[in-house]
Each structure stands twice: as C-alpha cells, then as structure tokens.
Amino acid sequence: MGDKNYIYYAEGQCEEKLLEVLKTDMQLIRLGKISKYNVIQEKLKMAQLRTLKKGTTAVLVFDTDTTDNTNILKENIDILKKYSAISNVICITQVENLEDEIVRSCDVSKAQELTNSKSVSSFKSDFIKASNLKGTLEKHKFCFENLWCRSSNKDQYKEIKNEADKIRLKK
C-alpha cells in the first residue's frame, strides 16, 4: 500500500491506547494519527474530514457487540469512501469487543488478568493508565497475529470484513 497518511478512528480510550502502543512502542502497525471516535454511534462531520491530506487511508476500529443497528457505521463508511481526500477505508472489527481480542491474543482467560484488575470496568481504567503496556502485553505472550483476526458472523456485519492485515507491518 503506497498511502502515506493514515487516520485511525478508535472507538474508545482503550483502543486509542492500544493503537498508540502498537504503532510506536511495538512498531507493528502503520504510522498515523489516532482519533477517539465511535464510528458506530456518531456520524462523521465534514469539519473533521477537511483537515485530512489527499491520499489518506481511514481505519475504523470498533466493537461488534455494541449495537444491532449498524446504519451509522455504514453511513460513515459511505461518507469516507465518497470524500475526495480518502483513498481507502479499512475496517477493523473487534469480535465481540477489545476484552475478547485481548483473551484471543494473550495467555489470559479474562482480560482483567492482563492488568490484575478486579472487574471489567476497572480493567478499562487500568488498561488506559498502564505505564508499560508493551511490557504487560509481552509478559502475557501477546500474539499480534491473533489480534483482530476474525470477522463478526452477526448478520448486520456480514458485509463488513475485518481488514486488519492491511495495517500490519510484521507477519
């Protein structure tokens, strides 16, 4: 892929943190700007897109457990595909959510084990606050190939494929 500019739209702060670590500390994904934006629930605005450089690839990272209604997501994909500065739209489906992706890609049976958290809600804040997330992931045998490796089998996501391989730098 010859595109130089990437914009990652991360559903929440945990995804934002993970993308940052994968991009900078671990150098596993393509460089780009990361913006916390829930593309499933919030419609993109033209003001956001006007700042993008021509030839930008938009990467949408979102959970597939959050809603049965994917209309806003599909509208956002259409908006991005039609916008002149966007050369490509890549979807990364988290099946069902980030916690499930952590379990698939690390040696933990529950995401909370990664951060020694007492609950799912404390896992999220502990994950965001983690000062050495790269080290924590490596300690738990993080396997990048197992992260974002599935597409949702729910009907509303059947035409949205997981294209995480398009941002991976290493195999």
Side-chain angles (χ1 to χ4, degrees):
M1 234 181 240
D3 296 333
K4 291 189 284 291
N5 302 310
Y6 283 77
I7 176 87
Y8 292 88
Y9 292 107
E11 180 176 304
Q13 283 183 282
C14 289
E15 289 82 1
E16 195 176 23
K17 171 91 176 205
L18 179 61
L19 285 165
E20 190 60 46
V21 169
L22 293 174
K23 178 181 78 164
T24 54
D25 300 351
M26 301 178 94
Q27 298 179 357
L28 293 172
I29 63 172
R30 297 182 181 277
L31 294 176
K33 183 178 185 285
I34 300 169
S35 176
K36 185 175 90 58
Y37 199 84
N38 189 334
V39 293
I40 289 206
Q41 296 177 347
E42 303 169 68
K43 199 167 167 187
L44 286 163
K45 294 169 184 57
M46 280 301 149
Q48 294 167 277
L49 302 179
R50 282 192 195 106
T51 62
L52 300 176
K53 293 179 181 150
K54 189 152 184 61
T56 295
T57 294
V59 182
L60 314 180
V61 182
F62 54 89
D63 293 347
T64 58
D65 70 344
T66 50
T67 183
D68 288 334
N69 188 341
T70 54
N71 291 345
I72 293 173
L73 172 65
K74 290 173 183 171
E75 280 181 52
N76 282 334
I77 292 169
D78 286 343
I79 288 167
L80 289 165
K81 284 182 175 177
K82 289 175 184 166
Y83 194 69
S84 62
I86 301 291
S87 61
N88 197 8
V89 178
I90 296 172
C91 291
I92 297 181
T93 56
Q94 297 190 131
V95 181
E96 295 281 310
N97 55 40
L98 178 64
E99 292 85 347
D100 292 319
E101 295 291 345
I102 295 291
V103 169
R104 265 192 290 282
S105 59
C106 295
D107 66 352
V108 296
S109 57
K110 293 186 299 203
Q112 298 95 284
E113 293 172 25
L114 186 78
T115 53
N116 293 318
S117 303
K118 306 264 185 275
S119 66
V120 173
S121 59
S122 64
F123 161 75
K124 290 184 177 201
S125 60
D126 293 344
F127 189 88
I128 293 162
K129 287 184 220 159
S131 60
N132 182 12
L133 187 55
K134 176 187 179 204
T136 301
L137 289 167
E138 288 171 343
K139 185 177 111 184
H140 288 281
K141 298 178 177 59
F142 175 68
C143 177
F144 185 48
E145 290 76 28
N146 292 342
L147 180 73
W148 304 323
C149 66
R150 295 185 179 177
S151 290
S152 176
N153 57 8
K154 291 181 178 178
D155 283 347
Q156 66 269 31
Y157 291 101
K158 67 178 172 254
E159 67 234 36
I160 300 171
K161 297 294 173 225
N162 188 334
E163 301 174 297
D165 285 343
K166 292 183 178 181
I167 64 159
R168 295 182 197 276
L169 292 177
K170 298 178 183 175
K171 288 283 175 197

